Amino acid sequence: MSSKKPSLPKSQLAGTDTLDRGNTNSKLQSLETFRSDASEQALRTNQGVKVADNQNTLKAGARGPSLLEDFIMREKITHFDHERIPERVVHARGTGAHGYFQAYENHSALTKAGFLRDPGKKTPVFVRFSTVQGPRGSGDTVRDVRGFAVKFFTDEGNFDLVGNNIPVFFIQDAVKFPDFVHAVKPEPHNEIPTGASAHDTFWDFVSLQPESAHMVMWVMSDRAIPKSLRSMQGFGVNTFRFINAEGTSSFVKFHWQPTVGTCSLVWDEAQKLAGKDTDFHRRDLWESIESGDYPEWELGVQVIVEENEHKFDFDILDPTKLVPEELVPITPLGKMVLNRNPDNFFAETEQVAFCPGNIVPGIDFSNDPLLQGRLFSYTDTQLSRLGGPNFHELPINRPVAPFHNGQRDAMHRSTIDKGRASYEPNSIDGGWPKETPPAAEDGGFESHNERIDAHKIRQRSPSFSDHFSQARLFFNSMSKHEQEHIIAAYSFELGKVEREAIRARQVNEILANIDLELAKRVAQNLGLPVPKAGTVEVPELTPDHSPALSQANLLSGDIKTRKVAILAANGVDGRAIAGLKKALEAEGARAKLLGPTSAPVTTADGKTLAVDASMEGLPSVAFDAVFVPGGAKSIQALSNDGVALHYLLEAYKHLKAIALHGEAKQLLDVLKLEVDAGLIVGDDAQALKAFFNAIAHHRVWEREPKAKAIPA
Ligand code: HDD
């Protein structure tokens, strides 16, 4: 720590001044106390001694042995030797950002939680997105569930909403979590595969555990290869309670809805990205925030009044079930905006510690047996990950609400408690700190007064026994192309399973009970015998379709945040580039100019244009669409450039919008491609409109059967 009072780097201060964050500044201030700015500071040891030589160990003679006495070298190397902490046992790969949440209106009829009652208040948040299976350095775009964990620093204490981008879970009871995680993690003998569930132990477990059928269906869908973190939906998954000032409790399911809509990558693209840009998702989040293009979500809840607890075909305490929005619509609560990147990945994103048990007055738990186990697990895991019970004092975890109690000491304690009494009751410190009785506002936390009269028993509730009807609901609710992707994903994953008995079990005992056609298609791809109809009696569901589940219905309809690659070589039509960039900017989209190399290109009218990268440096998988401006010489060069041709074919294969402007039309013949709804030729306003329209549709799904013929 420097000797001067630490202050924010200038760039941060500039950001703070220009952003109206309301009371989010209080979190900023609480972090600032710990922030260290080394600019214009002397290099010192941790004891504050100025260092004269940071290049050489103390030695007996210039060529002699090093001396143990060198406390400067020993301190530096000792600290370095201990820089790593254990990674999270699951969700190790993640990225985070700061922001705020603001309620739309006073929701006091639902909850007495202060941050949901005051629409004028901006509550600071820190969000961490993650994958589940892979280690810290694994790829961003692997097929996996994404974690979506939000810490709300409310004035009444921290509330952690520790959710996923999929609304259901693999198992119904927390006691099965270690089994599930051991099965999905890389195989124990060779630690393969990294960041993937396509292996024997995962499919062995899920094929023997039918309660996983619904969630596995989501994981085989496009939801498990999201296009970006900012376009993911989020779900609290477990059922929680809201409690209002009168003590009335309602069950709630939390939903995050991104304002840019929800969409995914295609599988080949996701796999390539995992190699070409391992950081694809974290880079996009970082760059969005740096460019002021802040990711936003609407928080909403499905509210189920207590009287309706048992009125569904499923049990609302069963975390393998969702509540169809057609049955219970979402009540919007407010908006979350992520507007600040962390200063230090380790101090903030790595050290943040979430726990579903962190709740505030106005929120409470349900008896979902998965949630109940989670309440224990998260605090417990931090003890070994963060080295003791004082992790709540780390700057990123500290509540903005004050915290005083009788807890003392332990590893890494940083609070210096002044009082003499670390017990209650006491008379020495005037009885402080004291309890606060529950109240309508600002009261002490009180658990919902639920009546329980039951036998102590180890049993799964019979109301949890249907495992297939919602998996079927999900499959039925998909568009045609989404269903095809699910079939392809099961076929790919099971194709990687070595043991035929496991493949057959998944097809015959799980898939055949969900949808016979799905089972048959997967069996065919695996060369298995044609499956017979499933033997489990699956209850009919109302509704049997839920349009809200299909991503085909979740696009925003505009092209905001979309990225377009412009391919150019010497002789390019510079005016076409300028025109496109202007039009994209007006719609909130972005373009990058790519050349054959990173050197500038000259336009047809002799101007020099700097390029953002070479085509190899920013491959087509990093973009949503490709634009090729005319210019006879440029097109001639691109026609003979294998990288450029591959760029276009790959974008075509990944069903992206492509616009061929002016002379670029000639590329159609070179590439042997035909015009379609997303492959647009022309240089008039109509062509531009068609191009933007294709981008807004995200992908040209009708091209998919044809695109299969293009080599990967
Ligand atoms: Fe969990 C991390 C989400 C079930 C035990 N979980 C973790 C994270 C997310 C979730 C987003 C990463 C938090 C971060 O970014 O630091 N987990 C879920 C959801 C679940 C779920 C939505 C089902 C509804 N989890 C679950 C169960 C258990 C755990 C049933 C244990 C009984 N989860 C953990 C953990 C982790 C964790 C081992 C690892 C790192 C951490 O907690 O802080 O305690």
Side-chain angles (χ1 to χ4, degrees), residues 165-454:
N165 75 328
I166 289 179
V168 291
F169 204 63
F170 294 99
I171 46 167
Q172 294 173 322
D173 189 310
V175 76
K176 297 305 296 169
F177 192 67
D179 297 298
F180 163 70
V181 174
H182 288 171
V184 72
K185 280 278 179 180
E187 304 240 345
H189 60 302
N190 56 9
E191 224 190 35
I192 297 175
T194 300
S197 54
H199 59 109
D200 283 46
T201 54
F202 173 74
W203 287 99
D204 188 29
F205 178 81
V206 298
S207 63
L208 291 166
Q209 194 78 25
E211 71 201 48
S212 65
H214 186 195
M215 171 82 160
V216 173
M217 176 74 80
W218 279 79
V219 176
M220 292 305 110
S221 80
D222 294 345
R223 297 295 185 129
I225 42 171
K227 182 179 114 59
S228 64
L229 300 171
R230 67 175 307 168
S231 62
M232 291 189 323
Q233 288 184 318
F235 304 92
V237 183
N238 302 114
T239 299
F240 285 81
R241 289 174 184 273
F242 269 173
I243 316 285
N244 67 14
E246 286 74 50
T248 308
S249 149
S250 339
F251 293 104
V252 289
K253 288 276 193 192
F254 288 102
H255 291 250
W256 291 109
Q257 205 67 43
T259 53
V260 293
T262 295
C263 55
S264 290
L265 302 168
V266 297
W267 180 227
D268 182 63
E269 182 189 19
Q271 286 183 288
K272 286 180 172 159
L273 272 168
K276 291 194 177 190
D277 188 3
T278 317
D279 307 309
F280 183 67
H281 282 155
R282 68 164 61 162
R283 189 190 307 284
D284 176 74
L285 184 71
W286 181 273
E287 287 177 354
S288 302
I289 294 173
E290 287 301 296
S291 61
D293 209 354
Y294 301 138
E296 288 182 7
W297 285 263
E298 177 167 278
L299 177 66
V301 274
Q302 288 175 296
V303 182
I304 299 163
V305 294
E306 288 236 2
E307 304 81 85
N308 289 345
E309 179 179 359
H310 301 291
K311 287 205 174 141
F312 299 93
D313 296 340
F314 51 87
D315 195 327
I316 61 165
L317 300 186
D318 174 356
T320 66
K321 304 296 184 299
L322 53 84
V323 180
E325 284 176 43
E326 292 72 18
L327 293 182
V328 182
I330 297 174
T331 306
L333 295 178
K335 193 169 81 169
M336 176 170 79
V337 179
L338 297 184
N339 57 11
R340 188 161 60 91
N341 279 315
D343 282 319
N344 185 282
F345 186 92
F346 179 83
E348 302 177 72
T349 309
E350 197 58 13
Q351 292 203 119
V352 68
F354 293 93
C355 177
N358 292 346
I359 53 170
V360 290
I363 300 177
D364 211 334
F365 313 117
S366 73
N367 294 330
D368 170 345
L370 192 79
L371 174 61
Q372 292 285 322
R374 294 181 74 198
L375 303 181
F376 161 74
S377 178
Y378 289 69
T379 313
D380 186 48
T381 203
Q382 314 305 349
L383 297 179
S384 56
R385 190 172 77 83
L386 297 170
N390 283 319
F391 56 86
H392 62 285
E393 295 188 325
L394 291 167
I396 191 62
N397 295 322
R398 293 177 85 89
V400 295
F403 53 101
H404 301 283
N405 52 49
Q407 295 167 36
R408 289 291 182 276
D409 308 345
M411 292 285 191
H412 316 305
R413 182 73 172 177
S414 56
T415 303
I416 302 172
D417 294 291
K418 292 207 290 189
R420 299 285 174 91
S422 53
Y423 52 87
E424 194 271 347
N426 75 69
S427 66
I428 290 181
D429 285 344
W432 297 105
K434 292 181 187 170
E435 296 166 338
T436 310
E441 278 185 30
D442 216 17
F445 182 84
E446 182 188 38
S447 290
H448 178 58
N449 188 6
E450 183 185 5
R451 184 183 155 82
I452 305 276
D453 179 8

Side-chain angles (χ1 to χ4, degrees), residues 59 74 164 237 288 331 395 432 567 579 646:
K59 295 188 288 285
R74 277 190 288 111
N164 281 339
V237 183
S288 302
T331 306
W432 297 105
L567 307 191
H646 174 73

Side-chain angles (χ1 to χ4, degrees), residues 461-696:
S461 168
S463 56
F464 281 34
S465 60
D466 158 36
H467 304 316
F468 297 116
S469 61
Q470 283 210 349
R472 184 178 288 173
L473 169 74
F474 181 71
F475 191 65
N476 284 349
S477 306
M478 295 294 102
S479 61
K480 188 78 193 116
H481 67 262
E482 287 171 310
Q483 287 190 339
E484 288 298 321
H485 297 170
I486 290 173
I487 293 165
Y490 275 109
S491 307
F492 176 94
E493 294 254 325
L494 288 167
K496 298 250 180 189
V497 169
E498 289 169 10
R499 294 165 179 83
E500 186 153 331
I502 297 177
R503 296 179 177 194
R505 196 193 302 137
Q506 181 66 23
V507 168
N508 297 319
E509 291 172 37
I510 306 288
L511 298 188
N513 283 308
I514 299 172
D515 185 284
L516 189 56
E517 196 46 37
L518 162 69
K520 282 184 179 167
R521 293 276 307 278
V522 175
Q524 190 183 19
N525 289 340
L526 295 171
L528 290 172
V530 180
K532 296 196 185 68
T535 50
V536 174
E537 208 158 301
V538 182
E540 292 290 321
L541 273 190
T542 327
D544 63 0
H545 277 72
S546 172
L549 300 180
S550 167
Q551 291 193 117
N553 302 321
L554 295 176
L555 289 172
S556 62
D558 58 39
I559 65 166
K560 267 190 203 130
T561 78
R562 298 283 167 165
K563 293 176 187 159
V564 179
I566 306 174
L567 307 191
N570 287 336
V572 69
D573 176 353
R575 279 213 309 247
I577 297 176
L580 176 79
K581 279 193 165 175
K582 205 168 148 208
L584 285 171
E585 234 162 74
E587 300 290 326
R590 290 173 194 281
K592 291 231 156 119
L593 183 63
L594 309 178
T597 67
S598 301
V601 290
T602 30
T603 60
D605 51 5
K607 291 196 184 108
T608 304
L609 283 184
V611 301
D612 294 295
S614 70
M615 290 176 218
E616 271 178 322
L618 275 181
S620 85
V621 285
F623 292 92
D624 295 294
V626 185
F627 180 86
V628 189
K633 269 182 139 178
S634 171
I635 297 306
Q636 200 183 356
L638 295 181
S639 303
N640 292 311
D641 182 336
V643 175
L645 298 178
H646 174 73
Y647 209 100
L648 288 162
L649 283 177
E650 192 176 53
Y652 179 87
K653 183 169 181 68
H654 296 154
L655 318 174
K656 293 175 182 175
I658 299 172
L660 302 176
H661 178 272
E663 291 88 344
K665 184 180 176 188
Q666 296 159 24
L667 289 168
L668 273 187
D669 293 337
V670 182
L671 296 167
K672 300 196 172 39
L673 295 178
E674 281 168 27
V675 167
D676 63 23
L679 177 46
I680 291 129
V681 172
D683 30 28
D684 55 6
Q686 219 169 344
L688 192 68
K689 201 170 156 205
F691 183 50
F692 284 12
N693 187 39
I695 302 174

Side-chain angles (χ1 to χ4, degrees), residues 8-20:
L8 282 173
K10 282 196 181 73
S11 59
Q12 282 295 333
L13 281 172
T16 315
D17 288 341
T18 51
L19 293 169
D20 171 21

